[in-house]
Tab-separated table of all heavy atoms in Angstrom:
chain	number	residue	atom	x	y	z
Y	1	PRO	N	0.857	-1.255	-0.070
Y	1	PRO	CA	-0.078	0.039	-0.045
Y	1	PRO	C	0.812	1.315	-0.024
Y	1	PRO	O	0.269	2.363	-0.357
Y	1	PRO	CB	-0.807	-0.022	1.197
Y	1	PRO	CG	-0.507	-1.269	2.014
Y	1	PRO	CD	0.554	-2.052	1.171
Y	2	GLU	N	2.153	1.223	0.324
Y	2	GLU	CA	2.913	2.508	0.375
Y	2	GLU	C	3.795	2.623	-0.804
Y	2	GLU	O	4.513	3.608	-0.883
Y	2	GLU	CB	3.767	2.436	1.633
Y	2	GLU	CG	3.027	2.520	2.910
Y	2	GLU	CD	3.855	2.453	4.165
Y	2	GLU	OE1	4.964	3.155	4.110
Y	2	GLU	OE2	3.523	1.810	5.136
Y	3	ILE	N	3.584	1.835	-1.780
Y	3	ILE	CA	4.382	2.047	-3.145
Y	3	ILE	C	4.094	3.302	-3.773
Y	3	ILE	O	4.911	4.173	-4.157
Y	3	ILE	CB	4.224	0.797	-4.048
Y	3	ILE	CG1	4.964	-0.368	-3.510
Y	3	ILE	CG2	4.750	1.208	-5.458
Y	3	ILE	CD1	4.859	-1.610	-4.325
Y	4	ILE	N	2.776	3.702	-3.742
Y	4	ILE	CA	2.291	4.959	-4.295
Y	4	ILE	C	2.366	5.886	-3.166
Y	4	ILE	O	1.642	5.764	-2.159
Y	4	ILE	CB	0.979	4.765	-4.917
Y	4	ILE	CG1	0.982	3.793	-5.970
Y	4	ILE	CG2	0.555	6.286	-5.476
Y	4	ILE	CD1	-0.488	3.450	-6.471
Y	5	LYS	N	3.082	7.018	-3.299
Y	5	LYS	CA	3.147	7.981	-2.263
Y	5	LYS	C	1.773	8.698	-2.219
Y	5	LYS	O	1.144	8.903	-3.257
Y	5	LYS	CB	4.232	9.026	-2.524
Y	5	LYS	CG	5.628	8.491	-2.488
Y	5	LYS	CD	6.719	9.603	-2.929
Y	5	LYS	CE	8.070	9.000	-3.029
Y	5	LYS	NZ	8.974	10.012	-3.539
Y	6	PRO	N	1.320	9.138	-1.039
Y	6	PRO	CA	0.098	9.846	-1.015
Y	6	PRO	C	-0.024	11.024	-1.936
Y	6	PRO	O	0.843	11.855	-1.882
Y	6	PRO	CB	-0.056	10.276	0.429
Y	6	PRO	CG	0.864	9.260	1.229
Y	6	PRO	CD	1.943	9.053	0.265
Y	7	GLY	N	-1.116	11.069	-2.750
Y	7	GLY	CA	-1.237	12.156	-3.642
Y	7	GLY	C	-0.321	12.159	-4.873
Y	7	GLY	O	-0.314	13.113	-5.625
Y	8	LYS	N	0.503	11.033	-4.953
Y	8	LYS	CA	1.416	10.990	-6.083
Y	8	LYS	C	1.097	9.947	-7.111
Y	8	LYS	O	1.976	9.270	-7.686
Y	8	LYS	CB	2.888	10.712	-5.563
Y	8	LYS	CG	3.319	11.830	-4.616
Y	8	LYS	CD	3.658	13.133	-5.417
Y	8	LYS	CE	4.322	14.155	-4.411
Y	8	LYS	NZ	4.857	15.277	-5.170
Y	9	GLU	N	-0.070	9.718	-7.513
Y	9	GLU	CA	-0.570	8.756	-8.466
Y	9	GLU	C	0.113	9.089	-9.778
Y	9	GLU	O	0.527	8.181	-10.499
Y	9	GLU	CB	-2.086	8.648	-8.572
Y	9	GLU	CG	-2.799	8.175	-7.344
Y	9	GLU	CD	-2.940	9.160	-6.222
Y	9	GLU	OE1	-2.664	10.405	-6.385
Y	9	GLU	OE2	-3.335	8.691	-5.129
Y	10	ASP	N	0.088	10.316	-10.201
Y	10	ASP	CA	0.669	10.637	-11.523
Y	10	ASP	C	2.234	10.242	-11.584
Y	10	ASP	O	2.712	9.795	-12.575
Y	10	ASP	CB	0.617	12.156	-11.812
Y	10	ASP	CG	-0.877	12.600	-12.146
Y	10	ASP	OD1	-1.719	11.715	-12.459
Y	10	ASP	OD2	-1.067	13.888	-12.104
Y	11	GLN	N	2.926	10.497	-10.396
Y	11	GLN	CA	4.294	10.121	-10.354
Y	11	GLN	C	4.475	8.591	-10.542
Y	11	GLN	O	5.320	8.099	-11.259
Y	11	GLN	CB	4.867	10.542	-9.008
Y	11	GLN	CG	6.355	10.152	-8.876
Y	11	GLN	CD	6.792	10.586	-7.417
Y	11	GLN	OE1	6.394	10.047	-6.464
Y	11	GLN	NE2	7.724	11.606	-7.445
Y	12	ALA	N	3.575	7.769	-9.931
Y	12	ALA	CA	3.593	6.291	-10.109
Y	12	ALA	C	3.380	5.945	-11.489
Y	12	ALA	O	4.054	4.928	-12.054
Y	12	ALA	CB	2.554	5.697	-9.157
Y	13	VAL	N	2.416	6.635	-12.154
Y	13	VAL	CA	2.206	6.253	-13.596
Y	13	VAL	C	3.504	6.664	-14.454
Y	13	VAL	O	3.851	5.908	-15.255
Y	13	VAL	CB	1.018	7.030	-14.122
Y	13	VAL	CG1	0.838	6.827	-15.595
Y	13	VAL	CG2	-0.328	6.472	-13.383
Y	14	SER	N	3.999	7.858	-14.204
Y	14	SER	CA	5.132	8.293	-15.001
Y	14	SER	C	6.366	7.317	-14.732
Y	14	SER	O	7.091	6.874	-15.712
Y	14	SER	CB	5.578	9.635	-14.497
Y	14	SER	OG	6.688	10.018	-15.125
Y	15	ARG	N	6.499	6.830	-13.534
Y	15	ARG	CA	7.637	5.878	-13.263
Y	15	ARG	C	7.407	4.521	-13.961
Y	15	ARG	O	8.318	3.906	-14.518
Y	15	ARG	CB	7.864	5.670	-11.774
Y	15	ARG	CG	8.401	6.920	-11.142
Y	15	ARG	CD	8.605	6.754	-9.711
Y	15	ARG	NE	9.320	8.118	-9.257
Y	15	ARG	CZ	9.590	8.296	-7.894
Y	15	ARG	NH1	9.128	7.478	-6.990
Y	15	ARG	NH2	10.149	9.475	-7.608
Y	16	GLY	N	6.230	4.197	-13.987
Y	16	GLY	CA	5.813	2.909	-14.734
Y	16	GLY	C	6.047	3.005	-16.252
Y	16	GLY	O	6.605	2.121	-16.819
Y	17	LEU	N	5.677	4.192	-16.715
Y	17	LEU	CA	5.940	4.372	-18.340
Y	17	LEU	C	7.360	4.425	-18.484
Y	17	LEU	O	7.767	3.902	-19.512
Y	17	LEU	CB	5.216	5.717	-18.616
Y	17	LEU	CG	3.679	5.730	-18.624
Y	17	LEU	CD1	3.203	7.083	-18.923
Y	17	LEU	CD2	3.167	4.679	-19.608
Y	18	ASN	N	8.149	5.005	-17.650
Y	18	ASN	CA	9.651	4.995	-17.839
Y	18	ASN	C	10.185	3.632	-17.747
Y	18	ASN	O	11.080	3.275	-18.398
Y	18	ASN	CB	10.265	5.864	-16.797
Y	18	ASN	CG	10.139	7.407	-17.195
Y	18	ASN	OD1	9.973	7.691	-18.337
Y	18	ASN	ND2	10.097	8.188	-16.164
Y	19	GLN	N	9.546	2.803	-16.763
Y	19	GLN	CA	10.003	1.374	-16.682
Y	19	GLN	C	9.728	0.676	-17.947
Y	19	GLN	O	10.511	-0.267	-18.336
Y	19	GLN	CB	9.435	0.691	-15.485
Y	19	GLN	CG	9.953	-0.710	-15.168
Y	19	GLN	CD	11.299	-0.724	-14.752
Y	19	GLN	OE1	11.735	0.209	-14.138
Y	19	GLN	NE2	11.984	-1.836	-14.985
Y	20	CYS	N	8.689	1.070	-18.642
Y	20	CYS	CA	8.389	0.393	-19.968
Y	20	CYS	C	9.518	0.647	-20.911
Y	20	CYS	O	9.814	-0.311	-21.737
Y	20	CYS	CB	7.035	0.988	-20.575
Y	20	CYS	SG	5.542	0.415	-19.778
Y	21	SER	N	10.193	1.802	-20.959
Y	21	SER	CA	11.299	1.903	-21.807
Y	21	SER	C	12.349	0.940	-21.437
Y	21	SER	O	13.006	0.482	-22.429
Y	21	SER	CB	11.862	3.388	-21.692
Y	21	SER	OG	12.862	3.670	-22.414
Y	22	SER	N	12.569	0.708	-20.231
Y	22	SER	CA	13.671	-0.246	-19.965
Y	22	SER	C	13.193	-1.760	-20.377
Y	22	SER	O	14.053	-2.390	-20.758
Y	22	SER	CB	13.910	-0.322	-18.343
Y	22	SER	OG	14.441	0.960	-18.006
Y	23	ILE	N	11.909	-2.034	-20.179
Y	23	ILE	CA	11.445	-3.292	-20.525
Y	23	ILE	C	11.614	-3.555	-22.043
Y	23	ILE	O	12.107	-4.599	-22.517
Y	23	ILE	CB	9.964	-3.557	-20.081
Y	23	ILE	CG1	9.917	-3.515	-18.540
Y	23	ILE	CG2	9.370	-4.698	-20.756
Y	23	ILE	CD1	8.451	-3.426	-17.996
Y	24	LYS	N	11.307	-2.417	-22.777
Y	24	LYS	CA	11.366	-2.582	-24.232
Y	24	LYS	C	12.850	-2.651	-24.660
Y	24	LYS	O	13.258	-3.487	-25.488
Y	24	LYS	CB	10.843	-1.380	-24.911
Y	24	LYS	CG	10.791	-1.421	-26.404
Y	24	LYS	CD	10.089	-0.282	-27.081
Y	24	LYS	CE	10.046	-0.386	-28.512
Y	24	LYS	NZ	9.253	0.719	-29.208
Y	25	GLY	N	13.749	-2.025	-24.041
Y	25	GLY	CA	15.130	-2.072	-24.409
Y	25	GLY	C	15.795	-3.371	-24.040
Y	25	GLY	O	16.646	-3.845	-24.674
Y	26	LYS	N	15.366	-3.948	-22.859
Y	26	LYS	CA	16.020	-5.304	-22.468
Y	26	LYS	C	15.197	-6.459	-22.756
Y	26	LYS	O	15.681	-7.557	-22.778
Y	26	LYS	CB	16.246	-5.143	-20.957
Y	26	LYS	CG	17.315	-4.170	-20.590
Y	26	LYS	CD	17.565	-4.244	-19.108
Y	26	LYS	CE	18.409	-3.212	-18.590
Y	26	LYS	NZ	19.516	-2.681	-19.413
Y	27	GLY	N	13.891	-6.266	-22.970
Y	27	GLY	CA	13.031	-7.507	-23.077
Y	27	GLY	C	13.049	-8.378	-21.857
Y	27	GLY	O	13.182	-7.732	-20.730
Y	28	SER	N	13.161	-9.468	-22.011
Y	28	SER	CA	13.170	-10.352	-20.746
Y	28	SER	C	14.535	-10.902	-20.631
Y	28	SER	O	14.772	-11.919	-19.803
Y	28	SER	CB	12.123	-11.472	-20.852
Y	28	SER	OG	12.373	-12.253	-21.965
Y	29	ASP	N	15.470	-10.376	-21.310
Y	29	ASP	CA	16.918	-10.840	-21.292
Y	29	ASP	C	17.536	-10.724	-19.841
Y	29	ASP	O	18.252	-11.717	-19.512
Y	29	ASP	CB	17.776	-10.118	-22.231
Y	29	ASP	CG	17.371	-10.298	-23.682
Y	29	ASP	OD1	16.676	-11.356	-24.008
Y	29	ASP	OD2	17.743	-9.562	-24.596
Y	30	ASP	N	17.257	-9.708	-19.164
Y	30	ASP	CA	17.820	-9.645	-17.768
Y	30	ASP	C	16.827	-9.186	-16.806
Y	30	ASP	O	16.765	-7.916	-16.360
Y	30	ASP	CB	19.036	-8.603	-17.898
Y	30	ASP	CG	19.919	-8.669	-16.647
Y	30	ASP	OD1	19.445	-9.280	-15.660
Y	30	ASP	OD2	20.983	-8.058	-16.688
Y	31	ARG	N	16.040	-10.138	-16.447
Y	31	ARG	CA	14.856	-9.849	-15.608
Y	31	ARG	C	15.389	-9.380	-14.161
Y	31	ARG	O	14.700	-8.394	-13.564
Y	31	ARG	CB	14.047	-11.114	-15.381
Y	31	ARG	CG	12.803	-10.889	-14.594
Y	31	ARG	CD	11.775	-11.938	-15.135
Y	31	ARG	NE	10.655	-11.870	-14.241
Y	31	ARG	CZ	9.594	-11.164	-14.272
Y	31	ARG	NH1	9.613	-10.225	-15.327
Y	31	ARG	NH2	8.594	-11.096	-13.572
Y	32	ALA	N	16.490	-9.912	-13.669
Y	32	ALA	CA	16.925	-9.469	-12.397
Y	32	ALA	C	17.411	-7.906	-12.453
Y	32	ALA	O	17.060	-7.169	-11.514
Y	32	ALA	CB	18.195	-10.231	-11.950
Y	33	GLN	N	17.952	-7.455	-13.557
Y	33	GLN	CA	18.316	-6.117	-13.707
Y	33	GLN	C	17.083	-5.247	-13.778
Y	33	GLN	O	17.024	-4.102	-13.202
Y	33	GLN	CB	19.190	-5.887	-14.873
Y	33	GLN	CG	19.771	-4.398	-14.957
Y	33	GLN	CD	20.652	-4.203	-16.210
Y	33	GLN	OE1	20.807	-5.024	-17.018
Y	33	GLN	NE2	21.288	-3.025	-16.146
Y	34	LEU	N	16.042	-5.677	-14.570
Y	34	LEU	CA	14.803	-4.946	-14.600
Y	34	LEU	C	14.142	-4.789	-13.299
Y	34	LEU	O	13.651	-3.685	-12.923
Y	34	LEU	CB	13.820	-5.640	-15.604
Y	34	LEU	CG	14.181	-5.520	-17.085
Y	34	LEU	CD1	13.291	-6.366	-17.943
Y	34	LEU	CD2	14.037	-4.013	-17.553
Y	35	ALA	N	14.191	-5.856	-12.515
Y	35	ALA	CA	13.605	-5.925	-11.139
Y	35	ALA	C	14.349	-4.870	-10.189
Y	35	ALA	O	13.684	-4.150	-9.513
Y	35	ALA	CB	13.685	-7.310	-10.559
């Protein structure tokens, strides 16, 4: 429940979208690094 900071839902979405860039770049090649 504390992953999303109070009132920072937009920030959580932005961070997720940025993580997508890493996922696209690495695919599932290095799952430990993505994690």
Side-chain angles (χ1 to χ4, degrees):
E2 294 179 40
I3 288 176
I4 303 170
K5 296 176 188 174
K8 299 287 187 172
E9 292 82 6
D10 288 343
Q11 183 184 63
V13 172
S14 177
R15 289 179 176 174
L17 292 171
N18 286 330
Q19 186 68 27
C20 285
S21 178
S22 297
I23 292 169
K24 185 173 185 177
K26 294 186 187 320
S28 60
D29 293 341
D30 195 346
R31 189 152 169 83
Q33 186 178 13
L34 286 172

